[in-house]
């Protein structure tokens, strides 16, 4: 493991690594071998679409298909080793930090990909804001053990104090990012969602030192990848330190310079029809039917969410706006041991009040699915007869403030984006 430019500062410690990247001449196109993060791929339709896009699509590593978990993980390891032997993937010649840019018609985002020293939440360096599911952590850990690789980066955010001077000149790490983005990129591709992706390497020791000195003064918030971070921590504990397992692959974005989008993650209740969900509410919430189409219903949700907890239930061909929960019900079902900002979160009310108390639905995969795409959530409910629960997004400042207090939100409370494409750069732990 390379530790060039390594620092022992108490803040973020990002080091270069030899990225594994697709060899363009060996694949149909870079866009065809990329994938969204593993937990965003809508299975099975999305999985089959990606598998058919190119025989070397990264989904064959992050979501291998076989009859047992052990067989799936072995298949991913065999596939990775085969692609390395065949020259489909190859390591860069020297350790690098990578500047990564995502751009569409509405947003420009730039950040740094590197290997970040792992730390526990109580150290206050990397702040989680959501709980994780043990079975998902174990699933990801088994895959990482088998492949000895970080297959996709986490998305972490930090906020600079004064990254841009009044004259517009960037400072600190952003100086290197902006300067690097003026050079010809290592790769450039546009994925089918309309995003253009560009990647550059940073190998100059002075530039790496400038980045590291700046980042050492900051803490980061996990925007996307809580299960992968927990997986990294578990595997670090299994390997004697120092080792490559002390670090994990991340994309760091300064949201003072490049604000992320924050979107909601919706819920789908497999076994609860909309009629039963509404009947169980009684007079504990206000329920109104709102006109479609979906965009109009989401506008109504946003307006209601500005005044109280609010959700839209769908699946029976209509949109039902549920808001204004009974204060007595909230007092009886939500723990008073947390800050008010946590107690009043829509996700807290949904899980503690509605799912646990009113509907009595276990938070288990056979009962609840978490879906990022709003229209897909509604379509699934209408097709399969369950209930879609549409959520309103939480502001990043609320997430960060709770995380700094050591308070975790209910899992899958937020969806930060744009998320890094999986497959542009991987990190092997063997070199």
């Amino acid at each position: 493991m390379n530790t060039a430019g390594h620092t022992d500062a108490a803040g973020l410690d990002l080091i270069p690594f030899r990225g594994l990247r697709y060899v363009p001449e060996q694949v149909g196109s870079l866009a065809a071998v990329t994938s969204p993060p593993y937990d965003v791929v809508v299975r099975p339709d999305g999985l089959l679409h990606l598998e058919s896009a190119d025989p070397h699509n990264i989904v064959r590593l992050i979501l291998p298909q076989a009859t047992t978990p052990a067989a799936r993980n072995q298949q991913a390891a065999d596939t990775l080793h085969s692609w390395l032997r065949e020259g489909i993937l190859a390591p860069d010649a020297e350790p690098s930090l990578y500047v990564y840019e995502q751009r569409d018609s509405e947003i420009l985002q730039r950040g740094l990909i590197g290997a970040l020293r792992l730390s526990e939440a109580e150290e206050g360096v990397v702040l989680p804001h959501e709980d994780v599911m043990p079975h998902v952590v174990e699933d990801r850990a088994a895959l990482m053990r088998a492949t000895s690789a970080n297959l996709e980066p986490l998305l972490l955010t930090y906020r600079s104090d004064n990254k841009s001077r009044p004259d517009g000149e960037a400072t600190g790490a952003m100086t290197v990012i902006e300067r690097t983005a003026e050079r010809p990129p290592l790769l450039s591709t546009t994925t089918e969602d309309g995003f253009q992706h560009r990647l550059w390497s940073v190998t100059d020791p002075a530039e790496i030192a400038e980045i590291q000195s700046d980042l050492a003064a900051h803490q980061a918030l996990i925007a996307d990848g809580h299960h992968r971070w927990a997986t990294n921590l578990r595997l670090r504990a299994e390997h004697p330190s120092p080792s490559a397992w002390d670090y994990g692959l991340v994309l760091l974005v300064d949201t003072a310079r490049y604000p992320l989008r924050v979107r909601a993650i919706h819920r789908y209740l497999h076994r609860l029809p909309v009629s039963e969900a509404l009947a169980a509410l009684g007079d504990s919430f206000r329920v109104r039917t709102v006109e479609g189409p979906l965009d109009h219903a989401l506008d109504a949700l946003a307006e209601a969410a500005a005044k109280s907890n609010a959700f839209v239930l769908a699946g029976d061909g209509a949109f039902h706006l549920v808001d204004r929960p009974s204060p007595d019900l909230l007092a009886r079902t939500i723990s008073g041991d947390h800050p008010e900002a946590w107690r009043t979160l829509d996700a807290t009310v949904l899980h503690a009040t509605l799912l646990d108390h009113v509907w009595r639905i276990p938070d288990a995969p056979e009962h609840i699915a978490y879906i990022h795409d709003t229209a897909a959530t509604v379509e699934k409910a209408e097709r399969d007869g369950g209930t879609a629960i549409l959520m309103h997004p939480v502001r990043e400042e609320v997430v960060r403030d709770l995380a700094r207090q050591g308070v975790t939100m209910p899992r899958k409370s937020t969806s930060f984006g744009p998320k890094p494409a999986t497959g542009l750069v991987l990190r092997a732990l063997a070199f």
Side-chain angles (χ1 to χ4, degrees), residues 34-85:
T34 64
S35 163
Y38 79 96
D39 57 340
V40 180
V41 177
V42 179
R43 303 171 71 174
D45 295 345
L47 179 65
L48 294 174
H49 172 71
L50 291 167
E51 285 185 330
S52 62
D54 189 283
H56 301 109
N57 189 282
I58 193 68
V59 78
R60 297 179 187 273
L61 300 184
I62 63 172
L63 289 172
Q65 298 301 293
T67 54
T68 67
R72 289 196 294 270
N73 296 329
Q74 187 59 51
Q75 179 174 298
D78 292 344
T79 300
L80 176 58
H81 297 151
S82 173
W83 289 357
L84 287 168
R85 287 194 307 271

Short mmCIF file of all heavy atoms in Angstrom, two decimals, residues 34-85:
data_model
loop_
_atom_site.label_atom_id
_atom_site.label_comp_id
_atom_site.label_asym_id
_atom_site.label_seq_id
_atom_site.Cartn_x
_atom_site.Cartn_y
_atom_site.Cartn_z
N THR A 34 -20.25 1.15 -16.82
CA THR A 34 -20.50 1.76 -15.52
C THR A 34 -21.88 1.36 -15.00
O THR A 34 -22.69 0.77 -15.70
CB THR A 34 -20.42 3.30 -15.59
OG1 THR A 34 -21.45 3.78 -16.45
CG2 THR A 34 -19.07 3.74 -16.10
N SER A 35 -22.11 1.72 -13.73
CA SER A 35 -23.37 1.39 -13.07
C SER A 35 -23.62 2.43 -11.99
O SER A 35 -22.68 3.05 -11.49
CB SER A 35 -23.26 -0.01 -12.43
OG SER A 35 -24.28 -0.22 -11.46
N PRO A 36 -24.88 2.62 -11.59
CA PRO A 36 -25.12 3.36 -10.36
C PRO A 36 -24.60 2.55 -9.17
O PRO A 36 -24.27 1.37 -9.31
CB PRO A 36 -26.66 3.47 -10.30
CG PRO A 36 -27.14 3.13 -11.68
CD PRO A 36 -26.13 2.21 -12.25
N PRO A 37 -24.51 3.14 -7.96
CA PRO A 37 -24.13 2.36 -6.78
C PRO A 37 -25.03 1.14 -6.62
O PRO A 37 -26.19 1.13 -7.05
CB PRO A 37 -24.33 3.36 -5.63
CG PRO A 37 -24.15 4.70 -6.26
CD PRO A 37 -24.71 4.57 -7.64
N TYR A 38 -24.49 0.11 -5.97
CA TYR A 38 -25.17 -1.19 -5.92
C TYR A 38 -26.59 -1.09 -5.37
O TYR A 38 -27.49 -1.81 -5.81
CB TYR A 38 -24.36 -2.18 -5.06
CG TYR A 38 -24.52 -1.98 -3.56
CD1 TYR A 38 -25.43 -2.73 -2.83
CD2 TYR A 38 -23.78 -1.01 -2.88
CE1 TYR A 38 -25.59 -2.53 -1.47
CE2 TYR A 38 -23.94 -0.81 -1.52
CZ TYR A 38 -24.85 -1.58 -0.82
OH TYR A 38 -25.03 -1.37 0.53
N ASP A 39 -26.82 -0.18 -4.39
CA ASP A 39 -28.13 -0.13 -3.75
C ASP A 39 -29.13 0.74 -4.51
O ASP A 39 -30.28 0.86 -4.10
CB ASP A 39 -28.01 0.37 -2.31
CG ASP A 39 -27.35 1.73 -2.20
OD1 ASP A 39 -26.65 2.13 -3.15
OD2 ASP A 39 -27.55 2.40 -1.18
N VAL A 40 -28.70 1.33 -5.63
CA VAL A 40 -29.59 2.12 -6.45
C VAL A 40 -30.10 1.31 -7.65
O VAL A 40 -31.13 1.62 -8.22
CB VAL A 40 -28.91 3.42 -6.93
CG1 VAL A 40 -29.83 4.26 -7.80
CG2 VAL A 40 -28.44 4.23 -5.72
N VAL A 41 -29.36 0.27 -8.00
CA VAL A 41 -29.76 -0.57 -9.12
C VAL A 41 -31.10 -1.23 -8.77
O VAL A 41 -31.23 -1.91 -7.76
CB VAL A 41 -28.70 -1.66 -9.42
CG1 VAL A 41 -29.19 -2.57 -10.54
CG2 VAL A 41 -27.38 -1.01 -9.79
N VAL A 42 -32.11 -0.98 -9.60
CA VAL A 42 -33.43 -1.55 -9.36
C VAL A 42 -33.44 -2.98 -9.90
O VAL A 42 -33.32 -3.21 -11.09
CB VAL A 42 -34.53 -0.72 -10.04
CG1 VAL A 42 -35.91 -1.34 -9.79
CG2 VAL A 42 -34.50 0.71 -9.53
N ARG A 43 -33.53 -3.94 -9.00
CA ARG A 43 -33.49 -5.33 -9.42
C ARG A 43 -34.91 -5.86 -9.60
O ARG A 43 -35.82 -5.48 -8.87
CB ARG A 43 -32.75 -6.16 -8.36
CG ARG A 43 -31.34 -5.65 -8.10
CD ARG A 43 -30.68 -6.29 -6.92
NE ARG A 43 -30.33 -7.67 -7.19
CZ ARG A 43 -29.64 -8.41 -6.33
NH1 ARG A 43 -29.25 -7.89 -5.17
NH2 ARG A 43 -29.33 -9.65 -6.60
N PRO A 44 -35.13 -6.77 -10.57
CA PRO A 44 -34.13 -7.31 -11.48
C PRO A 44 -33.97 -6.55 -12.78
O PRO A 44 -33.01 -6.76 -13.53
CB PRO A 44 -34.65 -8.72 -11.75
CG PRO A 44 -36.12 -8.56 -11.73
CD PRO A 44 -36.41 -7.51 -10.67
N ASP A 45 -34.94 -5.66 -13.11
CA ASP A 45 -34.92 -5.02 -14.42
C ASP A 45 -33.64 -4.23 -14.65
O ASP A 45 -33.01 -4.33 -15.70
CB ASP A 45 -36.14 -4.09 -14.57
CG ASP A 45 -37.45 -4.87 -14.58
OD1 ASP A 45 -37.39 -6.09 -14.76
OD2 ASP A 45 -38.51 -4.25 -14.39
N GLY A 46 -33.26 -3.42 -13.67
CA GLY A 46 -32.06 -2.61 -13.81
C GLY A 46 -30.81 -3.46 -13.92
O GLY A 46 -29.89 -3.16 -14.69
N LEU A 47 -30.77 -4.55 -13.16
CA LEU A 47 -29.62 -5.45 -13.20
C LEU A 47 -29.47 -6.08 -14.57
O LEU A 47 -28.38 -6.10 -15.15
CB LEU A 47 -29.79 -6.53 -12.12
CG LEU A 47 -28.68 -7.57 -12.02
CD1 LEU A 47 -27.38 -6.92 -11.58
CD2 LEU A 47 -29.08 -8.66 -11.04
N LEU A 48 -30.57 -6.60 -15.13
CA LEU A 48 -30.51 -7.24 -16.44
C LEU A 48 -30.13 -6.23 -17.52
O LEU A 48 -29.38 -6.56 -18.45
CB LEU A 48 -31.86 -7.88 -16.76
CG LEU A 48 -32.25 -9.06 -15.86
CD1 LEU A 48 -33.67 -9.52 -16.17
CD2 LEU A 48 -31.27 -10.21 -16.00
N HIS A 49 -30.63 -5.00 -17.39
CA HIS A 49 -30.29 -3.97 -18.37
C HIS A 49 -28.79 -3.70 -18.36
O HIS A 49 -28.15 -3.61 -19.42
CB HIS A 49 -31.06 -2.70 -18.05
CG HIS A 49 -30.65 -1.52 -18.88
ND1 HIS A 49 -30.94 -1.41 -20.22
CD2 HIS A 49 -29.93 -0.40 -18.56
CE1 HIS A 49 -30.44 -0.28 -20.69
NE2 HIS A 49 -29.83 0.36 -19.71
N LEU A 50 -28.21 -3.59 -17.18
CA LEU A 50 -26.77 -3.31 -17.08
C LEU A 50 -25.95 -4.49 -17.55
O LEU A 50 -24.93 -4.34 -18.22
CB LEU A 50 -26.42 -2.94 -15.64
CG LEU A 50 -26.96 -1.59 -15.16
CD1 LEU A 50 -26.83 -1.47 -13.65
CD2 LEU A 50 -26.23 -0.44 -15.85
N GLU A 51 -26.36 -5.70 -17.18
CA GLU A 51 -25.61 -6.89 -17.61
C GLU A 51 -25.58 -7.01 -19.13
O GLU A 51 -24.59 -7.47 -19.70
CB GLU A 51 -26.24 -8.14 -17.00
CG GLU A 51 -25.94 -8.34 -15.53
CD GLU A 51 -26.47 -9.66 -15.01
OE1 GLU A 51 -27.49 -10.15 -15.53
OE2 GLU A 51 -25.84 -10.21 -14.09
N SER A 52 -26.67 -6.60 -19.77
CA SER A 52 -26.74 -6.71 -21.23
C SER A 52 -26.07 -5.54 -21.94
O SER A 52 -25.84 -5.59 -23.15
CB SER A 52 -28.20 -6.83 -21.68
OG SER A 52 -28.94 -5.68 -21.32
N ALA A 53 -25.77 -4.46 -21.19
CA ALA A 53 -25.15 -3.28 -21.82
C ALA A 53 -23.75 -3.60 -22.34
O ALA A 53 -23.34 -3.10 -23.39
CB ALA A 53 -25.09 -2.13 -20.82
N ASP A 54 -23.02 -4.43 -21.60
CA ASP A 54 -21.66 -4.82 -21.98
C ASP A 54 -21.29 -6.04 -21.15
O ASP A 54 -21.61 -6.09 -19.96
CB ASP A 54 -20.68 -3.67 -21.71
CG ASP A 54 -19.29 -3.94 -22.28
OD1 ASP A 54 -18.54 -4.73 -21.66
OD2 ASP A 54 -18.96 -3.36 -23.34
N PRO A 55 -20.62 -7.03 -21.74
CA PRO A 55 -20.26 -8.23 -20.96
C PRO A 55 -19.32 -7.94 -19.79
O PRO A 55 -19.16 -8.77 -18.91
CB PRO A 55 -19.59 -9.14 -21.99
CG PRO A 55 -19.20 -8.25 -23.12
CD PRO A 55 -20.22 -7.15 -23.15
N HIS A 56 -18.72 -6.74 -19.78
CA HIS A 56 -17.79 -6.39 -18.71
C HIS A 56 -18.36 -5.30 -17.81
O HIS A 56 -17.60 -4.62 -17.11
CB HIS A 56 -16.46 -5.94 -19.30
CG HIS A 56 -15.81 -6.98 -20.17
ND1 HIS A 56 -15.72 -6.86 -21.53
CD2 HIS A 56 -15.26 -8.18 -19.85
CE1 HIS A 56 -15.12 -7.93 -22.02
NE2 HIS A 56 -14.82 -8.74 -21.03
N ASN A 57 -19.68 -5.12 -17.80
CA ASN A 57 -20.27 -4.10 -16.94
C ASN A 57 -19.92 -4.38 -15.48
O ASN A 57 -19.95 -5.52 -15.02
CB ASN A 57 -21.79 -4.04 -17.12
CG ASN A 57 -22.41 -2.86 -16.41
OD1 ASN A 57 -22.59 -2.88 -15.19
ND2 ASN A 57 -22.74 -1.82 -17.15
N ILE A 58 -19.63 -3.32 -14.73
CA ILE A 58 -19.19 -3.44 -13.34
C ILE A 58 -20.22 -4.10 -12.44
O ILE A 58 -19.90 -4.61 -11.36
CB ILE A 58 -18.81 -2.03 -12.80
CG1 ILE A 58 -18.03 -2.12 -11.48
CG2 ILE A 58 -20.05 -1.17 -12.63
CD1 ILE A 58 -16.66 -2.71 -11.62
N VAL A 59 -21.48 -4.13 -12.87
CA VAL A 59 -22.52 -4.76 -12.06
C VAL A 59 -22.22 -6.23 -11.82
O VAL A 59 -22.67 -6.82 -10.84
CB VAL A 59 -23.92 -4.55 -12.71
CG1 VAL A 59 -24.13 -5.51 -13.88
CG2 VAL A 59 -25.03 -4.71 -11.69
N ARG A 60 -21.42 -6.84 -12.71
CA ARG A 60 -21.06 -8.26 -12.53
C ARG A 60 -20.11 -8.44 -11.33
O ARG A 60 -19.95 -9.56 -10.83
CB ARG A 60 -20.43 -8.81 -13.80
CG ARG A 60 -21.39 -8.82 -14.99
CD ARG A 60 -20.75 -9.34 -16.26
NE ARG A 60 -21.65 -9.16 -17.39
CZ ARG A 60 -22.58 -10.02 -17.76
NH1 ARG A 60 -22.71 -11.15 -17.08
NH2 ARG A 60 -23.36 -9.78 -18.78
N LEU A 61 -19.51 -7.34 -10.88
CA LEU A 61 -18.68 -7.40 -9.67
C LEU A 61 -19.46 -6.96 -8.44
O LEU A 61 -19.34 -7.57 -7.37
CB LEU A 61 -17.44 -6.51 -9.83
CG LEU A 61 -16.48 -6.84 -10.97
CD1 LEU A 61 -15.27 -5.91 -10.91
CD2 LEU A 61 -16.02 -8.29 -10.90
N ILE A 62 -20.25 -5.90 -8.54
CA ILE A 62 -20.92 -5.38 -7.35
C ILE A 62 -22.20 -6.12 -7.01
O ILE A 62 -22.62 -6.13 -5.85
CB ILE A 62 -21.19 -3.86 -7.47
CG1 ILE A 62 -22.16 -3.55 -8.62
CG2 ILE A 62 -19.89 -3.10 -7.64
CD1 ILE A 62 -22.61 -2.10 -8.67
N LEU A 63 -22.83 -6.76 -8.01
CA LEU A 63 -24.05 -7.55 -7.77
C LEU A 63 -23.96 -8.85 -8.56
O LEU A 63 -24.76 -9.12 -9.46
CB LEU A 63 -25.29 -6.76 -8.19
CG LEU A 63 -25.70 -5.57 -7.32
CD1 LEU A 63 -26.83 -4.80 -7.99
CD2 LEU A 63 -26.10 -6.02 -5.93
N PRO A 64 -22.99 -9.71 -8.21
CA PRO A 64 -22.86 -10.98 -8.94
C PRO A 64 -24.09 -11.85 -8.73
O PRO A 64 -24.73 -11.81 -7.69
CB PRO A 64 -21.61 -11.61 -8.31
CG PRO A 64 -21.54 -11.00 -6.94
CD PRO A 64 -22.05 -9.60 -7.09
N GLN A 65 -24.40 -12.66 -9.73
CA GLN A 65 -25.59 -13.50 -9.69
C GLN A 65 -25.20 -14.97 -9.65
O GLN A 65 -24.54 -15.48 -10.55
CB GLN A 65 -26.47 -13.22 -10.91
CG GLN A 65 -26.98 -11.79 -10.98
CD GLN A 65 -27.79 -11.40 -9.76
OE1 GLN A 65 -28.88 -11.92 -9.54
NE2 GLN A 65 -27.25 -10.49 -8.96
N ALA A 66 -25.61 -15.66 -8.58
CA ALA A 66 -25.40 -17.10 -8.43
C ALA A 66 -26.40 -17.60 -7.41
O ALA A 66 -27.18 -16.83 -6.84
CB ALA A 66 -23.96 -17.41 -8.01
N THR A 67 -26.40 -18.89 -7.16
CA THR A 67 -27.47 -19.49 -6.34
C THR A 67 -27.28 -19.28 -4.85
O THR A 67 -28.24 -19.33 -4.09
CB THR A 67 -27.57 -20.99 -6.64
OG1 THR A 67 -26.27 -21.59 -6.46
CG2 THR A 67 -28.02 -21.22 -8.08
N THR A 68 -26.05 -19.08 -4.38
CA THR A 68 -25.80 -18.89 -2.95
C THR A 68 -24.91 -17.67 -2.75
O THR A 68 -24.16 -17.27 -3.67
CB THR A 68 -25.10 -20.11 -2.34
OG1 THR A 68 -23.77 -20.22 -2.89
CG2 THR A 68 -25.88 -21.39 -2.62
N PRO A 69 -24.93 -17.07 -1.55
CA PRO A 69 -24.03 -15.94 -1.31
C PRO A 69 -22.56 -16.29 -1.53
O PRO A 69 -21.82 -15.48 -2.12
CB PRO A 69 -24.32 -15.60 0.16
CG PRO A 69 -25.72 -16.05 0.39
CD PRO A 69 -25.87 -17.29 -0.44
N ALA A 70 -22.13 -17.45 -1.07
CA ALA A 70 -20.72 -17.83 -1.25
C ALA A 70 -20.37 -17.94 -2.73
O ALA A 70 -19.29 -17.50 -3.16
CB ALA A 70 -20.44 -19.15 -0.54
N ALA A 71 -21.29 -18.52 -3.50
CA ALA A 71 -21.04 -18.66 -4.93
C ALA A 71 -21.01 -17.29 -5.62
O ALA A 71 -20.20 -17.07 -6.54
CB ALA A 71 -22.10 -19.54 -5.56
N ARG A 72 -21.88 -16.39 -5.20
CA ARG A 72 -21.89 -15.05 -5.79
C ARG A 72 -20.56 -14.35 -5.53
O ARG A 72 -19.99 -13.74 -6.44
CB ARG A 72 -23.04 -14.23 -5.21
CG ARG A 72 -24.42 -14.66 -5.68
CD ARG A 72 -25.47 -13.60 -5.40
NE ARG A 72 -25.69 -13.39 -3.96
CZ ARG A 72 -26.58 -14.06 -3.24
NH1 ARG A 72 -27.32 -15.00 -3.80
NH2 ARG A 72 -26.74 -13.79 -1.95
N ASN A 73 -20.09 -14.39 -4.31
CA ASN A 73 -18.84 -13.71 -3.98
C ASN A 73 -17.65 -14.32 -4.70
O ASN A 73 -16.76 -13.60 -5.17
CB ASN A 73 -18.64 -13.73 -2.47
CG ASN A 73 -19.72 -12.96 -1.73
OD1 ASN A 73 -20.26 -11.98 -2.25
ND2 ASN A 73 -20.06 -13.40 -0.52
N GLN A 74 -17.63 -15.65 -4.80
CA GLN A 74 -16.54 -16.30 -5.52
C GLN A 74 -16.59 -15.93 -6.99
O GLN A 74 -15.55 -15.74 -7.64
CB GLN A 74 -16.62 -17.81 -5.34
CG GLN A 74 -15.41 -18.56 -5.91
CD GLN A 74 -14.10 -18.11 -5.30
OE1 GLN A 74 -13.97 -18.07 -4.07
NE2 GLN A 74 -13.13 -17.73 -6.14
N GLN A 75 -17.81 -15.83 -7.52
CA GLN A 75 -17.95 -15.45 -8.93
C GLN A 75 -17.41 -14.05 -9.16
O GLN A 75 -16.72 -13.80 -10.15
CB GLN A 75 -19.42 -15.51 -9.33
CG GLN A 75 -19.68 -15.11 -10.78
CD GLN A 75 -21.13 -15.32 -11.16
OE1 GLN A 75 -21.63 -16.44 -11.14
NE2 GLN A 75 -21.83 -14.25 -11.49
N ALA A 76 -17.68 -13.12 -8.25
CA ALA A 76 -17.16 -11.76 -8.39
C ALA A 76 -15.64 -11.76 -8.34
O ALA A 76 -14.99 -11.07 -9.14
CB ALA A 76 -17.72 -10.87 -7.29
N ALA A 77 -15.07 -12.54 -7.42
CA ALA A 77 -13.61 -12.60 -7.31
C ALA A 77 -13.00 -13.20 -8.58
O ALA A 77 -12.01 -12.68 -9.11
CB ALA A 77 -13.22 -13.43 -6.09
N ASP A 78 -13.61 -14.27 -9.08
CA ASP A 78 -13.09 -14.91 -10.30
C ASP A 78 -13.20 -13.95 -11.48
O ASP A 78 -12.29 -13.88 -12.33
CB ASP A 78 -13.87 -16.20 -10.59
CG ASP A 78 -13.61 -17.29 -9.56
OD1 ASP A 78 -12.61 -17.17 -8.81
OD2 ASP A 78 -14.41 -18.25 -9.51
N THR A 79 -14.31 -13.23 -11.57
CA THR A 79 -14.50 -12.29 -12.67
C THR A 79 -13.47 -11.17 -12.60
O THR A 79 -12.86 -10.80 -13.62
CB THR A 79 -15.91 -11.69 -12.62
OG1 THR A 79 -16.88 -12.74 -12.75
CG2 THR A 79 -16.13 -10.68 -13.74
N LEU A 80 -13.23 -10.62 -11.41
CA LEU A 80 -12.24 -9.56 -11.26
C LEU A 80 -10.86 -10.05 -11.67
O LEU A 80 -10.14 -9.37 -12.44
CB LEU A 80 -12.22 -9.07 -9.81
CG LEU A 80 -11.16 -8.02 -9.47
CD1 LEU A 80 -11.31 -6.78 -10.33
CD2 LEU A 80 -11.24 -7.65 -7.98
N HIS A 81 -10.47 -11.20 -11.20
CA HIS A 81 -9.14 -11.73 -11.54
C HIS A 81 -9.02 -12.02 -13.04
O HIS A 81 -7.97 -11.79 -13.65
CB HIS A 81 -8.85 -12.99 -10.73
CG HIS A 81 -8.80 -12.74 -9.26
ND1 HIS A 81 -9.13 -13.69 -8.31
CD2 HIS A 81 -8.48 -11.61 -8.56
CE1 HIS A 81 -9.00 -13.18 -7.11
NE2 HIS A 81 -8.61 -11.92 -7.22
N SER A 82 -10.12 -12.51 -13.63
CA SER A 82 -10.11 -12.77 -15.07
C SER A 82 -9.95 -11.48 -15.86
O SER A 82 -9.17 -11.42 -16.82
CB SER A 82 -11.41 -13.48 -15.46
OG SER A 82 -11.52 -13.61 -16.86
N TRP A 83 -10.66 -10.43 -15.46
CA TRP A 83 -10.56 -9.16 -16.18
C TRP A 83 -9.17 -8.55 -16.04
O TRP A 83 -8.67 -7.91 -16.96
CB TRP A 83 -11.62 -8.19 -15.66
CG TRP A 83 -13.02 -8.56 -16.06
CD1 TRP A 83 -13.41 -9.61 -16.86
CD2 TRP A 83 -14.22 -7.89 -15.67
NE1 TRP A 83 -14.77 -9.63 -16.98
CE2 TRP A 83 -15.31 -8.59 -16.27
CE3 TRP A 83 -14.50 -6.79 -14.87
CZ2 TRP A 83 -16.64 -8.20 -16.10
CZ3 TRP A 83 -15.82 -6.39 -14.70
CH2 TRP A 83 -16.88 -7.10 -15.30
N LEU A 84 -8.52 -8.77 -14.89
CA LEU A 84 -7.15 -8.29 -14.73
C LEU A 84 -6.19 -9.06 -15.63
O LEU A 84 -5.32 -8.47 -16.27
CB LEU A 84 -6.73 -8.41 -13.26
CG LEU A 84 -7.37 -7.39 -12.30
CD1 LEU A 84 -7.12 -7.80 -10.85
CD2 LEU A 84 -6.82 -5.99 -12.56
N ARG A 85 -6.35 -10.38 -15.68
CA ARG A 85 -5.48 -11.20 -16.55
C ARG A 85 -5.65 -10.84 -18.01
O ARG A 85 -4.68 -10.79 -18.78
CB ARG A 85 -5.77 -12.69 -16.36
CG ARG A 85 -5.29 -13.28 -15.05
CD ARG A 85 -5.31 -14.81 -15.11
NE ARG A 85 -6.62 -15.31 -15.53
CZ ARG A 85 -7.61 -15.60 -14.69
NH1 ARG A 85 -7.44 -15.42 -13.39
NH2 ARG A 85 -8.76 -16.06 -15.15
#
